Amino acid sequence: MPGTTDPVCTEPRAAARTGVCGEPPTAARGGPVSHTLARVARMHRIAMGRRLRELGLYPGQELMMMRLWDCGPVRQSELIQSLGLDPSTVTKMLQRLEQCGHVRRRPDPADRRAVLVEVTDEGLALRAGVEGAWQGLEELSLGGLAPADRAELARLLGLVADNLYEEAGEEGDCPPLPKSC
Amino acid sequence: MPGTTDPVCTEPRAAARTGVCGEPPTAARGGPVSHTLARVARMHRIAMGRRLRELGLYPGQELMMMRLWDCGPVRQSELIQSLGLDPSTVTKMLQRLEQCGHVRRRPDPADRRAVLVEVTDEGLALRAGVEGAWQGLEELSLGGLAPADRAELARLLGLVADNLYEEAGEEGDCPPLPKSC
DNA sequence: ACAGAATATGTGGTCGGCCAACTAATGGGG
DNA sequence: CCCCATTAGTTGGCCGACCACATATTCTGT
């Protein structure tokens, strides 16, 4: 342990080499659930990303497409609202989705500022694949969990979502549901 | 509902304007838990990002710092292993953390390919803030949950993590724990 | 009718994160 | 002893996502 103030580490280096070091960082002890949540979400995202890539989508785009599958031609601003994303994020993502032919954009005749977005036939064709991937991943994630456990997990996650919603404000879903769609 | 094959949408646009459109995309019904999980994780990340910004960190960097706080000087490859990140991600993140003075890098005398990374005093000074933010967010997230519920949530998330671990392979934490730290 | 607020998008830049391709050093066999 | 597979890092490129800032249009109050 040379030089500067050695970190608080319990294993200066000897034990570390043996592979004893605790898995969750000690600094994360104050938030074990948060840590597991982040870990699970990340693995979930990776797993979903793998499935999506085979479909020709990048992670994140599937939520956009889901929204577009639900609504007909939508204003970009409504997508921003319902997805809770930054406007610039949506602009760029739609530009790419359009270039890939999954989506079509045209100016809104009723409001020359706005842009109407709608799915193309090619984009609609992705739906089955995405839904299948989504369901498959759900089943993989919850494998071995009894229905009661699944319900309990959904309930608890919902509570956490409500707690975070107030601070993370945003949108992402229902609560405010400001306008259309 | 003009022109091209109209999406399956239940509300072509009239009802949409009234704000009736379902919150979770219908395509996500096959994976309600996955959807909530992604939503919660995203809000959690945003909330954590806000706290981290005040400390001068970007989301994602806190996990790196936590790892560095635990171990003394570590090889970059070990960070890659324990965080489960892509090597290039780690390289770039460390370059930025070094430029900010939170981290120091020097060649490993024992292996001229490797690089040893360690936290600086300035980086160590962030620890209290990060841990505080982490704990605060944990408390915010779990607010109103009885201890039993918290334990149950942790348990269920752990099960999901195990399920996903097999596919998402990766690392991220303990199971393999290949080498030191 | 018009100035100023509010709305709807787009730009440029930065970061985390991944992949692919590349360099440099180590370590085994033959 | 030398060739080659392996390992450690780096670079470049691309995408999601954010912010700050800039633009065009619509809306509102006076």
Side-chain angles (χ1 to χ4, degrees):
Chain A
M1 21 191 152
T4 53
T5 50
D6 184 69
V8 193
C9 193
T10 48
E11 52 275 293
R13 202 166 93 189
R17 290 219 171 282
T18 68
V20 183
C21 194
E23 319 78 42
T26 61
R29 281 199 202 131
V33 176
S34 295
H35 189 261
T36 308
L37 177 67
R39 203 168 97 83
V40 167
R42 184 160 166 277
M43 290 191 295
H44 189 276
R45 188 179 183 79
I46 290 174
M48 190 61 192
R50 251 196 273 277
R51 290 162 167 75
L52 286 174
R53 187 145 14 109
E54 299 172 358
L55 296 171
L57 288 179
Y58 287 86
Q61 297 182 338
E62 84 276 22
L63 295 176
M64 174 74 77
M65 294 305 292
M66 285 180 184
R67 228 69 210 202
L68 291 171
W69 288 326
D70 280 0
C71 320
V74 214
R75 264 195 262 215
Q76 212 165 294
S77 60
E78 295 171 8
L79 293 172
I80 292 168
Q81 279 285 329
S82 63
L83 293 173
L85 294 174
D86 188 89
S88 62
T89 300
V90 171
T91 293
K92 290 167 188 167
M93 194 188 296
L94 285 176
Q95 287 173 345
R96 284 160 187 150
L97 285 173
E98 184 174 36
Q99 198 165 12
C100 291
H102 298 136
V103 140
R104 195 180 311 131
R105 295 181 345 147
R106 73 181 129 92
D108 184 343
D111 186 338
R112 291 193 305 186
R113 298 170 294 180
V115 172
L116 288 180
V117 186
E118 68 185 324
V119 111
T120 63
D121 289 2
E122 184 185 335
L124 189 55
L126 292 173
R127 182 165 188 170
V130 170
E131 286 186 13
W134 198 260
Q135 284 178 17
L137 188 52
E138 176 92 351
E139 197 42 53
L140 176 73
S141 305
L142 301 180
L145 293 207
D149 278 348
R150 301 185 180 202
E152 183 70 355
L153 178 56
R155 183 183 73 87
L156 294 171
L157 281 178
L159 291 177
V160 175
D162 292 343
N163 282 336
L164 287 173
Y165 180 77
E166 301 180 3
E167 160 150 352
E170 295 285 347
E171 172 41 33
D173 261 331
C174 25
L177 230 183
K179 299 193 176 181
S180 42
C181 185
Chain B
M1 21 191 152
T4 54
T5 51
D6 184 68
V8 193
C9 193
T10 48
E11 52 277 290
R13 201 166 95 190
R17 289 219 173 281
T18 69
V20 183
C21 194
E23 320 77 44
T26 62
R29 283 200 198 128
V33 175
S34 295
H35 189 261
T36 308
L37 177 68
R39 201 169 98 83
V40 167
R42 185 162 165 275
M43 291 191 296
H44 188 276
R45 188 178 183 78
I46 289 174
M48 190 62 191
R50 252 196 273 276
R51 289 162 167 74
L52 286 174
R53 187 145 12 114
E54 299 172 358
L55 297 171
L57 288 179
Y58 287 87
Q61 296 182 337
E62 85 276 22
L63 295 175
M64 174 75 76
M65 294 305 292
M66 286 179 183
R67 228 69 211 201
L68 291 171
W69 287 327
D70 279 0
C71 321
V74 214
R75 268 206 267 274
Q76 212 165 295
S77 60
E78 294 171 8
L79 292 172
I80 292 168
Q81 279 285 329
S82 64
L83 292 173
L85 293 174
D86 188 271
S88 63
T89 299
V90 171
T91 293
K92 291 167 189 168
M93 195 187 297
L94 286 176
Q95 286 174 344
R96 286 162 187 148
L97 286 173
E98 184 176 35
Q99 196 164 12
C100 292
H102 298 136
V103 140
R104 196 180 311 130
R105 297 180 347 148
R106 74 183 128 92
D108 184 342
D111 186 339
R112 291 194 303 185
R113 297 171 295 180
V115 172
L116 289 179
V117 186
E118 67 186 324
V119 109
T120 63
D121 289 1
E122 185 185 336
L124 189 55
L126 292 173
R127 181 164 189 170
V130 170
E131 287 185 13
W134 198 260
Q135 284 178 17
L137 188 52
E138 176 91 351
E139 197 42 53
L140 176 73
S141 305
L142 302 180
L145 294 207
D149 278 348
R150 301 185 178 201
E152 184 69 355
L153 178 56
R155 184 183 72 87
L156 294 170
L157 281 178
L159 291 177
V160 176
D162 292 343
N163 282 337
L164 287 173
Y165 180 78
E166 301 180 1
E167 161 150 353
E170 295 286 346
E171 170 44 31
D173 261 332
C174 26
L177 229 184
K179 298 192 175 181
S180 43
C181 180

